[in-house]
Amino acid sequence: MKIFHLSDLHIGLKLMNRDLTEDQRDIFDQIVKKAKEEKPDAMVIAGDIYDKSIPSAEAVDLFDEFLSKLHEAMPELPVMMISGNHDSISRVNIYRTILNKQNIHMIGRPPMTEDEFIEKVVLEDSYGKVNFYLLPFVKPSMVKGIVGVDEDGRNLSYDQSVRKLIERENICQEERNVLVSHQFYNPVGSDVSEVERMDSEMRTVGNIDEVKADILERFDYAALGHIHKPMKVGSEFYRYCGTPFPCSVSEAGQVKGIIMVEMGAKGEMTTKVLPLRPLHDVRIIMDTFENVLKEACNDYVSIVLTDEEDLDVIDMQDRIRYAFPNLLEIRRQSRYQTDYRKVEREREEKDPFALCCSFLGDLSEEEKALLEDVIHTVKEVL
């Protein structure tokens, strides 16, 4: 069985106020073309279909256009997708029963009551069944009716909640199983702060949304979404495919693509990345003013001028904008200049509990427990 793994389409995204509609349309056309060439047996989209929970009419139209072209090219292709943290549960979940009959499985709502389970779509090939478990983005508060709360009545952690949801499923290990999920999975024992995150990602303070990746071992393949850079999670077969096109300057230079998974008999599997070429690359050009002008192009460009002396060029910005019609920004760098983006990232990575304890000074164990509870509650609401 051949599977296309995509995620994080973020339809409707603007790159520093640049409208990306045509760039997204071009990428979707490439995906349709590759589907016609490779003839996959299934396509999965692991969350963040839209960039906003209330997408614009233009974004909805573009998604409709993409699915229509895909259906026209491959009428029998099953398409399975889940909601991500950017999506609206109800908007993705709408017409779920009707769409299932058309081989389009849009799952926006995770199981929330005891009699509900993770949506399962079963496909078959010459080797038997392949079970697709479609788990939308989960916050502990969404599923506490199933997983419960701790002894103090507080919501469980992301790790505990996702783990309990998966553990209650009756997964047949004799068959091939695929998980489609939109969470932040991290290998057991690895330092979560070392995972490179992109500026376009929505991150939690203190990485409280981390889920230990050992829970994925129940599956033959995990088609993951949420991380925007292509990444393996401790295995060739537990993977983030990343965004299909750059969604931020921090993704400049990344090779984007579709992960094509080919499953044979149980235990026999290969993966391959089918590259997607953006209509406009995202580039960072760091050099002196005169050298920057020599790099003129139509790409989306972030310019960092490294001239140490002040430039006496009245029309400097006009000349740069003429050379780079899709200019995103112009910045200056000097040896005395602070990299505020780096400072902000370092601040975000610090543990909020430790920051509060440092600010408040000496706290009793009771006060620390209360503070930890407040921080956990606020994070969960956010």
Side-chain angles (χ1 to χ4, degrees):
M1 181 170 292
K2 188 181 291 185
I3 305 165
F4 271 19
H5 169 196
L6 291 159
S7 75
D8 295 273
L9 306 183
H10 286 278
I11 303 174
L13 173 80
K14 292 187 183 297
L15 180 60
M16 291 190 180
N17 292 321
R18 287 279 178 183
D19 190 313
L20 296 180
T21 299
E22 290 307 313
D23 298 79
Q24 293 178 324
R25 176 176 285 113
D26 181 75
I27 286 292
F28 296 153
D29 286 345
Q30 289 183 49
I31 294 169
V32 172
K33 182 180 178 182
K34 290 187 183 296
K36 290 171 68 175
E37 293 170 352
E38 296 291 345
K39 296 179 171 51
D41 300 292
M43 178 182 289
V44 299
I45 302 174
D48 281 353
I49 298 167
Y50 296 111
D51 189 56
K52 298 183 183 303
S53 59
I54 305 179
S56 66
E58 292 77 13
V60 175
D61 286 344
L62 182 56
F63 184 50
D64 177 68
E65 179 184 320
F66 169 47
L67 286 185
S68 296
K69 289 179 179 178
L70 190 62
H71 180 73
E72 183 179 349
M74 299 193 67
E76 304 301 320
L77 177 67
V79 181
M80 294 168 268
M81 61 197 97
I82 58 173
S83 62
N85 57 304
H86 280 251
D87 294 312
S88 160
I89 289 177
S90 57
R91 284 179 172 80
V92 174
N93 212 63
I94 195 169
Y95 307 131
R96 178 165 162 175
T97 304
I98 297 172
L99 290 173
N100 283 353
K101 296 176 182 178
Q102 306 301 317
N103 246 356
I104 297 176
H105 308 273
M106 289 183 65
I107 312 303
R109 184 178 181 273
M112 293 184 180
T113 61
E114 282 289 347
D115 60 340
E116 294 178 338
F117 292 85
I118 298 172
E119 181 82 5
K120 183 170 77 169
V121 175
V122 181
L123 302 181
E124 292 194 47
D125 63 8
S126 58
Y127 295 102
K129 294 180 179 179
V130 179
N131 304 307
F132 292 82
Y133 289 86
L134 311 180
L135 179 61
F137 176 69
V138 170
K139 282 186 177 182
S141 60
M142 296 176 182
V143 296
K144 65 181 180 182
I146 297 175
V147 303
V149 294
D150 65 16
E151 60 275 10
D152 297 318
R154 297 177 298 189
N155 291 332
L156 299 182
S157 68
Y158 278 79
D159 180 69
Q160 292 169 320
S161 298
V162 173
R163 191 171 296 274
K164 282 178 175 276
L165 279 180
I166 292 175
E167 286 175 344
R168 68 197 288 267
E169 296 293 324
N170 183 22
I171 300 173
C172 178
Q173 294 302 321
E174 305 301 316
E175 298 171 348
R176 293 163 294 169
N177 300 291
V178 176
L179 175 68
V180 184
S181 179
H182 191 94
Q183 302 286 159
F184 177 27
Y185 292 94
N186 197 43
V188 175
S190 64
D191 188 347
V192 67
S193 65
E194 294 179 359
V195 178
E196 185 180 7
R197 306 293 296 271
M198 302 296 101
D199 292 343
S200 53
E201 295 176 31
M202 188 180 293
R203 290 172 281 178
T204 60
V205 179
N207 294 304
I208 63 160
D209 57 342
E210 178 192 9
V211 179
K212 298 300 182 185
D214 61 320
I215 191 64
L216 302 177
E217 293 171 5
R218 291 163 171 75
F219 301 93
D220 297 272
Y221 184 79
L224 306 177
H226 192 44
I227 304 297
H228 288 186
K229 179 181 180 179
M231 187 178 84
K232 299 172 186 176
V233 188
S235 167
E236 178 75 21
F237 306 120
Y238 309 146
R239 298 179 66 154
Y240 289 99
C241 61
T243 54
F245 47 83
C247 292
S248 65
V249 173
S250 62
E251 295 167 60
Q254 289 182 12
V255 177
K256 301 294 189 179
I258 306 163
I259 297 179
M260 184 171 70
V261 185
E262 294 193 71
M263 306 183 81
K266 178 79 173 182
E268 297 178 0
M269 185 164 38
T270 60
T271 62
K272 177 182 178 180
V273 176
L274 307 178
L276 296 170
R277 178 71 179 176
L279 192 61
H280 302 92
D281 281 324
V282 174
R283 299 175 57 195
I284 301 173
I285 301 178
M286 183 180 297
D287 212 327
T288 62
F289 172 62
E290 291 301 328
N291 286 337
V292 161
L293 293 181
K294 297 174 185 177
E295 299 285 331
C297 65
N298 287 317
D299 293 330
Y300 294 125
V301 176
S302 171
I303 301 292
V304 183
L305 298 176
T306 60
D307 302 84
E308 294 190 3
E309 303 296 328
D310 288 337
L311 299 173
D312 187 19
V313 181
I314 297 176
D315 61 346
M316 179 180 69
Q317 290 198 21
D318 290 338
R319 290 173 63 183
I320 292 176
R321 293 183 188 281
Y322 181 78
F324 303 97
N326 289 312
L327 179 70
L328 297 175
E329 61 178 351
I330 305 171
R331 292 187 287 124
R332 293 290 301 272
Q333 176 179 283
S334 75
R335 18 181 200 180
Y336 307 109
Q337 186 173 350
T338 302
D339 185 349
Y340 292 103
R341 290 185 178 184
K342 181 180 179 182
V343 171
E344 184 62 27
R345 283 196 296 270
E346 290 175 349
R347 182 182 300 154
E348 288 178 351
E349 290 169 0
K350 289 182 180 177
D351 182 359
F353 178 72
L355 282 172
C356 290
C357 287
S358 174
F359 177 77
L360 295 172
D362 293 332
L363 295 174
S364 66
E365 290 304 313
E366 183 179 354
E367 289 170 330
K368 287 181 179 179
L370 177 61
L371 175 61
E372 190 174 15
D373 184 38
V374 169
I375 291 173
H376 185 84
T377 302
V378 170
K379 287 176 181 176
E380 172 58 24
V381 171
L382 296 175

